[in-house]
């Protein structure tokens, strides 16, 4: 994920000085490249195309820069809504073979804290993000799709989740974050573990809309994970339970031989 600066071998300073240089380069790269990338993403995102577009762009860009948790946050390319597939492909029904429970709630568990039960309205209370990107399945197909939901990082901030301290996550204190988020369907028939770097990526969404409509049962109603830095397998449909851990949560396809991280 991270790009190493290219230094000619014969000009390498002695090791301490080199480490300092690399560190300085890292901060420079973060200061210049990341905010521009994030800004481009916001600017090109369909959700920003309202009446107040210029103002929203500025607000969103500032907000996003302030909430960039990790320096190696590369953004996946985004597209216009017109480029999205009119009918999204469906694949994988583990954990979603029964009807969506009428009394669905998002169950959230953190070690040493009382569990939290949230409704879909609690999720929708956060700023809505729309994103058109290329969804990729390890089975060899991909499709440009249009999703809507809330940023997982915004959600964790609002409900003060994902930290050992019980405070809202803080981009300046990433050591406070649990290392993994586990997600399971309500019946536990499908489950994934997500590394915190990928979970806090600004394009990772708790999605409740596909093509501007509530997500259908087959695509993961009422709420699913959309995580563009991972292959389809990690994009769990019908989230029932979310939990935080420093040990890798169990993972359906990792248990069946796939790489645990399946990153793009
Ligand atoms: N609950 C659940 N989520 C799942 C799966 C599954 O079998 N069950 N399959 C995964 C795989 S392999 C892919 S490619 C995507 C497909 O999402 P889609 O049906 O919306 O295209 O869902 C992922 N999430
Ligand atoms: Mo997949």
């Amino acid at each position: 994920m991270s790009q190493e600066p290219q230094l000619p071998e014969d000009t390498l300073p002695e090791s301490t000085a080199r480490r300092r240089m690399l560190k300085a380069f890292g901060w420079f790269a973060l200061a210049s490249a990341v905010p521009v990338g994030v800004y481009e993403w916001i600017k090109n995102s369909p959700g920003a195309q309202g009446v107040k577009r210029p103002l929203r762009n500025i607000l969103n860009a500032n907000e996003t820069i302030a909430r960039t948790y990790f320096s190696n946050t590369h953004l996946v390319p985004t597209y216009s809504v017109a480029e999205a597939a009119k009918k999204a492909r469906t694949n994988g029904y583990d954990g979603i073979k029964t009807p969506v429970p009428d009394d669905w709630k998002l169950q959230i568990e953190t070690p040493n804290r009382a569990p939290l039960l949230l409704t879909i309205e609690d999720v929708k209370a956060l700023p809505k993000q729309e994103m058109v990107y290329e969804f990729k399945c390890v089975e060899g197909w991909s499709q440009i799709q249009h999703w809507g939901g809330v940023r997982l990082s915004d959600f964790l901030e609002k409900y003060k989740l994902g930290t050992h301290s019980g405070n809202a996550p803080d981009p300046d204190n990433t050591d406070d974050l649990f290392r993994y988020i586990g997600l399971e369907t309500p019946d536990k028939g499908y489950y994934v573990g997500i590394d915190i770097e990928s979970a806090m990526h600004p394009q990772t969404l708790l999605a409740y809309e596909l093509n501007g409509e509530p997500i259908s049962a087959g695509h993961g109603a009422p709420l699913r994970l959309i995580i563009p830095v991972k292959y389809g397998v990690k994009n769990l449909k019908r989230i029932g339970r979310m939990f935080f851990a420093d040990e890798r949560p169990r993972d359906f396809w990792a248990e069946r031989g796939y790489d645990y991280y399946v990153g793009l």
Side-chain angles (χ1 to χ4, degrees), residues 88-97 135-139 141 143 145 147 184-187 189-192 210 215-220 224-226 231-239 252-253:
R89 189 166 166 169
T90 42
N91 193 46
Y93 297 92
D94 291 291
I96 62 167
K97 287 165 191 160
F135 183 101
K136 293 176 184 168
C137 170
V138 285
E139 287 168 46
W141 58 271
Q143 194 178 48
Q145 297 177 345
W147 293 93
E184 296 173 348
T185 56
D187 69 358
Y190 197 78
Y191 39 91
V192 298
L210 170 59
I215 295 179
S216 64
H219 285 293
R224 76 173 296 174
L225 186 68
I226 285 293
Y231 279 102
V233 289
K234 293 283 190 185
N235 291 240
L236 183 134
K237 300 190 274 194
R238 194 190 292 179
I239 305 170
F252 187 91
W253 283 110

Side-chain angles (χ1 to χ4, degrees), residues 3 6 10 32 100 110-111 127 165 169 177 227 239:
Q3 263 182 314
Q6 300 294 308
D10 57 346
S32 57
V100 182
T110 306
S165 65
L177 295 168
I227 183 160
I239 305 170

Side-chain angles (χ1 to χ4, degrees), residues 41-186:
W41 169 58
I42 295 293
K43 190 158 63 76
N44 295 331
S45 82
Q49 288 165 8
V51 221
K52 295 173 184 162
R53 181 174 171 168
L55 180 61
R56 277 217 65 74
N57 281 348
I58 292 159
L59 291 174
N60 281 348
N62 285 341
E63 192 176 58
T64 304
I65 290 160
R67 292 174 184 179
T68 297
Y69 283 82
F70 298 96
S71 57
N72 60 351
T73 301
H74 298 251
L75 296 172
V76 307
T78 55
Y79 301 84
S80 68
V81 170
E83 290 169 283
K86 296 284 165 286
K87 194 170 173 0
R89 189 166 166 169
T90 42
N91 193 46
Y93 297 92
D94 291 291
I96 62 167
K97 287 165 191 160
T98 53
V100 182
D102 288 335
D103 59 349
W104 179 91
K105 292 234 171 45
L106 177 59
Q107 185 187 334
I108 302 175
E109 281 163 27
T110 306
N112 309 314
R113 281 176 72 187
L116 194 62
L117 279 177
L118 297 178
T119 64
I120 196 72
E121 285 70 35
D122 296 327
V123 176
K124 289 184 179 173
L126 286 146
K128 183 174 166 187
Q129 309 290 329
E130 288 186 54
M131 182 169 62
V132 182
Y133 81 105
E134 191 177 1
F135 183 101
K136 293 176 184 168
C137 170
V138 285
E139 287 168 46
W141 58 271
S142 72
Q143 194 178 48
I144 296 175
Q145 297 177 345
H146 173 197
W147 293 93
V150 303
R151 274 190 205 124
L152 182 54
S153 61
D154 286 353
F155 176 81
L156 300 182
E157 283 181 18
K158 163 130 181 163
Y159 293 105
K160 296 192 165 71
L161 293 166
T163 59
H164 294 100
S165 65
N167 297 326
D170 174 358
D172 293 325
N173 185 15
T174 50
D175 287 348
D176 189 26
L177 295 168
F178 282 98
R179 292 173 61 196
Y180 295 95
I181 299 185
L183 297 172
E184 296 173 348
T185 56

